[in-house]
C-alpha cells in the first residue's frame, strides 16, 4: 500500500487557527497598549501583516472606535500625527518595521504584536503583545497573522463573539472538501468589501507565495470597472463577505467560476490557505519553502 505524503508544515499550522483565535480572545484582558476608543490610530506591517492591518483598520472604524489608517511600513507617512501606532511583525526583525518604530519612538505610543519577544522589536516598541503560541516554522504566514487580527478584533465592541463564531466556522473550513473547480483553475481573483478586502488581499498573496499562482485582489465593487475582463473558463472569482448585486452573474456570464460562502471572511481565508497548499503540491512545489522568500526580510543581511 502506498504511503500517503507527509502533511506540509504550512498545512499543519493553518489547521490550528481555530484554537489560536480562541486563545487570542482570552489574551485580550492581559494585553497592554491596545488602541483606546476615540484614538486616532495607524496600523502597519509588511506583506501579510500589512493586509491584516488593513482589515483591522476597517473593522475599528466600522465599530465607531476612531479614525484608523493602515500603511505598509515602508510607506508610512511619518509626518502625520497619531495617538497610537500598532505594528504587526511575526519575526520582530523586519527592517522596514524596525526603522519606522525607531523614527516614531518617543513621539507616539507604540504597540507591537510579535511571535518572538527575544528580537529587536522588544526594545523598539513601548508595549509588546507576544503571540509565541501562534508562531510558525513555515515561511508562509498563516496562523500568526490571523491570530494577531483575531486579538485586535476581539478588543472591539462585539469582537469576542465575532471571533468565536469565526473560529467555529474555520474549524469546519479545515475539514471540508475543497471544490475541484477551485483546485484546477489557472487563475484566481479574490474580492472583498470593507475589512474583507484586506482578507482578500491576503488570500491572493497566499496563492502567489505558496503556489507561484496568478492571482489578483480587488475591492468587490471595483471588480466590474475593468478587472472582470479576466473572468473566463478555468478561472475563479472568489468573494469574501457581502457580495454586490449582479457580481455573480457577471462572472458566470463570462464562463468563470464564482465562489462565495456566507461564513466570516477570516474563516473563509482558511479555505483559501488550504487551496494554496493543495495547488502548490499539485505543481510539485514545497509550500513550506516558497521560491525567493525568507521568514523575515532583513535588508543588508
Amino acid at each position: 500500500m502506498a504511503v500517503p505524503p507527509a502533511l506540509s508544515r504550512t498545512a499543519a499550522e493553518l489547521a490550528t487557527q481555530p484554537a489560536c483565535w480562541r486563545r487570542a480572545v482570552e489574551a485580550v484582558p492581559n494585553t497592554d497598549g491596545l488602541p483606546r476608543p476615540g484614538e486616532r490610530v495607524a496600523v502597519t506591517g509588511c506583506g501579510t501583516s500589512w493586509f491584516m492591518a488593513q482589515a483591522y483598520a476597517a473593522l475599528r472604524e466600522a465599530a465607531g472606535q476612531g479614525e484608523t489608517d493602515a500603511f505598509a511600513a515602508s510607506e508610512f507617512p511619518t509626518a502625520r500625527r497619531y495617538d497610537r501606532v500598532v505594528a504587526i511583525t511575526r519575526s520582530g526583525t523586519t527592517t522596514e518595521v524596525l526603522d519606522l518604530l525607531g523614527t516614531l519612538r518617543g513621539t507616539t505610543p507604540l504597540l507591537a504584536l510579535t511571535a518572538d519577544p527575544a528580537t529587536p522589536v522588544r526594545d523598539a516598541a513601548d508595549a509588546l503583545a507576544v503571540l509565541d503560541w501562534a508562531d510558525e516554522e513555515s515561511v508562509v504566514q498563516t496562523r500568526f497573522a490571523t491570530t494577531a487580527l483575531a486579538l485586535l478584533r476581539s478588543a472591539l465592541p462585539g469582537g469576542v463573539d465575532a471571533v468565536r463564531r469565526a473560529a467555529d466556522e474555520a474549524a469546519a473550513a479545515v475539514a471540508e472538501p475543497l471544490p475541484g473547480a477551485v483546485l484546477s483553475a489557472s487563475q484566481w481573483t479574490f474580492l472583498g468589501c470593507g475589512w474583507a478586502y484586506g482578507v482578500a488581499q491576503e488570500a491572493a498573496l497566499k496563492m502567489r507565495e505558496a503556489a507561484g499562482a496568478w492571482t489578483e485582489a480587488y475591492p468587490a465593487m471595483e471588480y466590474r470597472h475593468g478587472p472582470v475582463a479576466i473572468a473566463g473558463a478555468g478561472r475563479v472569482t472568489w468573494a469574501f463577505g457581502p457580495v454586490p448585486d449582479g457580481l455573480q452573474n457577471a462572472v458566470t456570464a463570462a464562463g468563470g467560476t464564482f465562489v462565495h460562502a456566507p461564513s466570516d471572511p477570516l474563516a473563509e481565508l482558511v479555505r483559501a490557505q488550504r487551496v494554496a497548499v493543495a495547488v502548490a503540491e499539485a505543481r510539485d512545489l514545497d509550500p513550506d519553502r516558497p521560491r525567493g522568500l525568507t521568514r523575515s526580510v532583513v535588508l543588508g543581511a
Side-chain angles (χ1 to χ4, degrees):
M1 184 174 66
V3 177
L7 192 67
S8 71
R9 173 54 56 183
T10 306
E13 288 172 346
L14 73 84
T16 67
Q17 286 173 109
C20 288
W21 301 351
R22 295 185 184 106
R23 186 165 177 177
V25 169
E26 303 304 321
V28 170
N30 298 317
T31 301
D32 296 327
L34 288 168
R36 299 168 183 169
E39 286 185 332
R40 188 167 186 254
V41 173
V43 196
T44 189
C46 298
T48 290
S49 297
W50 175 35
F51 298 141
M52 297 298 99
Q54 290 178 343
Y56 171 63
L59 280 165
R60 186 173 185 270
E61 283 212 5
Q65 295 296 286
E67 183 177 332
T68 315
D69 296 324
F71 302 100
S74 59
E75 297 294 327
F76 195 101
T78 55
R80 290 190 191 177
R81 298 297 90 188
Y82 290 98
D83 299 315
R84 190 177 306 272
V85 170
V86 178
I88 304 173
T89 169
R90 176 180 67 171
S91 69
T93 61
T94 303
T95 298
E96 299 99 303
V97 173
L98 294 177
D99 286 350
L100 174 62
L101 296 181
T103 298
L104 298 176
R105 187 71 188 265
T107 65
T108 306
L110 305 174
L111 166 65
L113 283 72
T114 187
D116 188 353
T119 57
V121 76
R122 174 186 57 192
D123 300 318
D126 301 304
L128 208 61
V130 180
L131 310 180
D132 50 0
W133 34 271
D135 200 0
E136 296 154 320
E137 293 180 21
S138 176
V139 169
V140 173
Q141 284 201 62
T142 55
R143 70 183 181 191
F144 170 76
T146 61
T147 300
L149 178 57
L151 185 145
L152 293 169
R153 186 182 182 188
S154 296
L156 299 174
V160 167
D161 289 341
V163 171
R164 285 175 173 160
R165 286 194 300 271
D168 291 342
E169 292 172 349
V174 167
E176 291 170 353
L178 297 171
V182 173
L183 294 173
S184 62
S186 61
Q187 189 274 339
W188 297 259
T189 298
F190 297 92
L191 308 176
C193 297
W195 76 278
Y197 173 52
V199 178
Q201 291 263 54
E202 171 58 10
L205 180 63
K206 285 290 91 69
M207 293 291 294
R208 288 192 290 268
E209 287 180 333
W214 172 20
T215 65
E216 302 178 6
Y218 301 96
M221 289 296 290
E222 286 296 309
Y223 183 60
R224 281 173 284 187
H225 293 271
V228 68
I230 289 297
R235 297 175 180 174
V236 169
T237 302
W238 193 331
F240 293 76
V243 175
D245 292 341
L247 179 61
Q248 180 172 356
N249 290 340
V251 173
T252 56
T257 298
F258 186 77
V259 176
H260 177 252
S263 55
D264 187 280
L266 204 56
E268 190 69 356
L269 176 59
V270 173
R271 277 215 301 161
Q273 293 169 342
R274 290 183 60 210
V275 170
V277 170
V279 172
E281 292 171 344
R283 296 180 176 186
D284 292 326
L285 299 173
D286 183 351
D288 296 342
R289 299 172 182 82
R291 182 179 56 197
L293 297 182
T294 57
R295 176 177 166 85
S296 173
V297 176
V298 180
L299 301 180

